[in-house]
Structures are given as C-alpha cells and as structure tokens.
Amino acid sequence: MTSSTDNLSALKNEVTTQQKSNTVQTTQRKMINLLFKYSAIFWFIAILLGQWFFFYYIMAFYGFSVINDNIEIWNRWEAMGSAPFKVGDTMGNTVFAVHAIGAGIVAFGGALQLVPKLRAVAPKFHKINGYIYLVTVFGLALSGFYLTWVRGASPDLLAAIGTSVNGFLILGFAYLTVKTARAKQFNNHRKWAVRLFLVSNAQWFLRVGVFSYLITGTMLGGKPAFGDIFFTIWTFACFLLPLGMAELYFIADKKKGLKLKLLATALLVLLTVLMLVGVVGLTPFLLQVLSGGPISL
C-alpha cells in the first residue's frame, strides 16, 4: 500500500514538474515571439522618422530650388567634393533633379507600403501609392545609371559599380513585386516589397551608415576617417546588409526554433540602434545644409 502511494505521489510530482516546464517554455516562446515582433516595429518607427525627415530635406533643398529656379545652390555640396549643378548641362541637371526628388518620394511613400493595417483599411491608397512608388523607383534606377556612367557622378569605378548593382536590384525586385502581386501571392509579394524598399533606399542607408561609423568609431576611441576600408565595403554593404538582415528575419519568422528568432531580434535591434545613431548625426548636418551656412563635418 505504501509503495503504491509513493508511486502515485512520484507520478503526481513528475506531472507537476512537466506542467511547470511546459508553462515556462510557453512563456519563453511568447516572450521571444513578442520581442521578435516588436524589434521589427522598432526598426520601422526608426526608419520612418529618419526617412520622413530626409523627405523634408530633399523637398526643402532640391524641390524648392527647382521651383524657384535656383538650382545653383546644389553646389553648396562642393565643400564635400560634389558639384551636382553644371553650367550648360541642361540634360544632366534635369536628370539629377528627377533623381533627387524621386528619392524624396521613395522616402515618403515607400514606408507606407509596408504598413499592414494601412493595406487592410485603405487598399485603394495602397494600390495607387504602390504604382507611384514603382514608377518612381524605376526612374531612380535609370537616372542613377545615367548620372553614374554618362555624367560621371560617382567618385570612382567601385562606387559606380556599386550604384549599378543597386540599380539592377531595384529593377529586378520591382518586377518581382509586381509579378507576385498580380499572381495574388501576397506573402511573397510583401517580402519582395520589403526587399525593394531596402534597395531603393540604399543612398539613405549609405549616408546614415557613414555618420553612424564616424560617431560610433569616435565614441569607441578610434579615429575614423574617409580613407578607411569601411567606405569601400559600405559602397555595397549599404544595400546588402539590410537585405541580409531581412532574409534572416524572414527565415526566423518561418522557423519554430527560438534561437534563430532571438538571433534575428538581437541583430535587428543592434542594427536599428546603429541606424538611429546615424540618423542623429545626419539630421543636424542636413539642417546645416538647409541653413545656408558653411558645410562641414
């Protein structure tokens, strides 16, 4: 009798222990899934704020310069080694204006395409904004090719190659975004839309990354300079790194394992923080450009 009681007690303890273990695992899973979800929201809010300010800067500087027929002010960037306005080059100046203002449209409208609730509540807006976005990124890619290879806007051959690779990715991803939408493969469509968004904003990531590198490098006791190998790598990494992060997130989202979700969450949060550092550095610099004062880092 005692033996039976002991066995029953042991069984109850085992069941209780298993239940507690299952509860802990369920809680952990919920917590990790929540962190995984909110890491993407954190990234989205950060990029939305940064890009919408970038849109303001582009329209205030390039947009109004075109409206006011004062495009000579583009050469305020000459202090940084860039002179977008060229006397007598009507075609080149026009293409540059289209490219710059197009980047502003992409910065403003692109992020809105990624909001699930907006897609659900305002499908017509999503569709119209999507068409505008696609036409704009197509123009961005083509104007980028012209500025790079005809006008010679890139500082060196490697930068020109990086810009061209990015342009071809924009065209390819735009095609696949449209193709999956027409085929009603909405899950794949959303993924291609994210990829398109990332490569279309490569020049924004480029600028933010530069400032993040300069600031974090200085904070860590280094002496970052424009001749560093980082800038060569970042020519391509400014669009390949965001793409790689997106792919990791997509894979982690499909897998049931928690370790990959934790890894994706940690990396996305880290990259978002670094991105915010770059945004914080870039913002006053662009305000300096708008102020009309001397440009310096």
Side-chain angles (χ1 to χ4, degrees):
M1 184 69 179
T2 304
S3 177
S4 298
T5 303
D6 290 343
N7 289 338
L8 183 60
S9 178
L11 182 60
K12 286 181 178 179
N13 289 335
E14 186 177 338
V15 170
T16 302
T17 302
Q18 185 63 42
Q19 287 176 336
K20 287 181 178 178
S21 176
N22 290 340
T23 301
V24 170
Q25 288 179 1
T26 301
T27 302
Q28 286 179 341
R29 182 174 294 277
K30 286 182 178 179
M31 181 62 70
I32 291 171
N33 285 332
L34 202 61
L35 289 172
F36 183 72
K37 174 185 175 182
Y38 280 104
S39 67
I41 294 174
F42 175 47
W43 170 83
F44 179 78
I45 292 172
I47 205 167
L48 187 68
L49 293 174
Q51 291 226 303
W52 278 11
F53 173 77
F54 192 56
F55 166 76
Y56 162 74
Y57 156 74
I58 287 174
M59 293 305 160
F61 187 68
Y62 294 107
F64 278 101
S65 70
V66 171
I67 293 171
N68 297 326
D69 194 22
N70 186 31
I71 60 177
E72 294 86 354
I73 67 168
W74 297 350
N75 285 356
R76 295 199 63 245
W77 282 98
E78 198 166 3
M80 304 301 295
S82 176
F85 170 74
K86 298 186 185 301
V87 178
D89 185 12
T90 304
M91 179 65 175
N93 292 333
T94 302
V95 172
F96 181 84
V98 169
H99 188 79
I101 294 171
I105 294 171
V106 167
F108 181 79
L112 295 177
Q113 290 299 100
L114 305 181
V115 182
K117 287 187 178 180
L118 190 60
R119 290 197 300 264
V121 174
K124 285 187 178 180
F125 171 81
H126 177 74
K127 191 173 183 178
I128 293 170
N129 188 51
Y131 281 131
I132 294 171
Y133 183 76
L134 286 167
V135 170
T136 305
V137 296
F138 185 77
L140 272 182
L142 295 185
S143 59
F145 292 144
Y146 178 89
L147 293 172
T148 298
W149 297 107
V150 178
R151 210 183 197 212
S154 294
D156 53 49
L157 180 60
L158 197 63
I161 293 171
T163 300
S164 298
V165 171
N166 180 240
F168 284 120
L169 288 177
I170 289 173
L171 295 176
F173 291 174
Y175 168 74
L176 291 167
T177 300
V178 173
K179 182 182 178 181
T180 50
R182 287 183 173 177
K184 299 189 183 301
Q185 299 171 358
F186 295 120
N187 188 44
N188 286 332
H189 168 68
R190 283 190 287 271
K191 290 179 180 178
W192 284 115
V194 170
R195 295 177 184 119
L196 176 60
F197 173 80
L198 295 175
V199 295
S200 299
N201 287 288
Q203 291 303 308
W204 182 79
F205 284 118
L206 178 74
R207 288 160 174 76
V208 168
V210 165
F211 276 87
S212 182
Y213 172 74
L214 294 174
I215 293 170
T216 54
T218 302
M219 289 175 63
L220 293 173
K223 295 181 179 179
F226 280 102
D228 295 348
I229 189 64
F230 165 82
F231 293 93
T232 301
I233 296 171
W234 194 238
T235 298
F236 296 89
C238 67
F239 55 89
L240 294 179
L241 180 60
L243 281 177
M245 183 64 246
E247 293 308 315
L248 177 62
Y249 194 90
F250 293 152
I251 293 170
D253 192 35
K254 287 177 63 177
K255 300 291 184 181
K256 292 183 179 180
L258 298 181
K259 289 183 179 179
L260 191 58
K261 276 188 169 64
L262 269 176
L263 175 63
T265 299
L267 282 176
L268 185 56
V269 169
L270 174 62
L271 291 175
T272 303
V273 170
L274 290 173
M275 183 176 72
L276 281 172
V277 170
V279 170
V280 169
L282 178 63
T283 299
F285 177 76
L286 295 181
L287 288 173
Q288 189 179 34
V289 175
L290 291 175
S291 72
I295 299 176
S296 62
L297 289 175

